[in-house]
Amino acid sequence: MALSSICIAGKQLELDKHGYLADINQWQPAVAEHFAQLEQLTLTAAHWEVIQFVRDFYQEFGTSPAIRVLVKAMAQQLGPDKGNSKYLFMLFPQGPAKQATRLAGLPKPARCL
């Protein structure tokens, strides 16, 4: 069963039915750290780069990127070393689009299962 809320810095933040932050405006780095801990990830600079990338993508396009779109957009902006699925799955083994957007406080990408 998915959590309905998380407590960050003494404040309850509501989650949607998929376990993603319900209000993207309540996101803060501590949210990413909390979700990473639940998912047994240790966030590195590479993780933060992807988290910030998906947040910027959402701000520009109003949607969370699905994996193919994420790979293509990252390749264009950050180069082929970072814009490939092997690299992204190494960072986010549960699925780069799904996991990175959750940590970034964004809605679940429409095409993720």
Side-chain angles (χ1 to χ4, degrees):
M1 186 173 154
L3 297 172
S4 63
S5 68
I6 56 174
C7 185
I8 303 293
K11 185 175 179 184
Q12 286 296 121
L13 304 180
E14 296 300 313
L15 303 178
D16 69 12
K17 67 182 179 179
H18 303 290
Y20 289 65
L21 197 60
D23 180 356
I24 64 170
N25 297 312
Q26 292 185 321
W27 185 85
Q28 54 187 289
V31 169
E33 292 164 0
H34 180 83
F35 283 137
Q37 187 175 24
L38 290 176
E39 297 172 15
Q40 299 176 337
L41 279 180
T42 301
L43 297 180
T44 65
H47 290 94
W48 285 110
E49 182 177 46
V50 176
I51 290 167
Q52 190 57 56
F53 186 90
V54 296
R55 288 188 60 77
D56 292 345
F57 185 97
Y58 188 88
Q59 291 288 48
E60 186 173 344
F61 299 104
T63 187
S64 297
I67 184 64
R68 286 186 179 168
V69 174
L70 177 60
V71 168
K72 185 176 180 180
M74 284 193 63
Q76 287 176 335
Q77 192 169 330
L78 303 174
D81 290 348
K82 294 181 180 179
N84 69 73
S85 55
K86 184 177 180 181
Y87 172 78
L88 292 170
F89 270 99
M90 182 184 70
L91 294 172
F92 300 100
Q94 294 180 17
K98 181 179 169 184
Q99 201 169 22
T101 55
R102 183 172 186 229
L103 271 65
L106 302 172
K108 182 178 177 185
R111 294 189 172 199
C112 284
L113 301 175

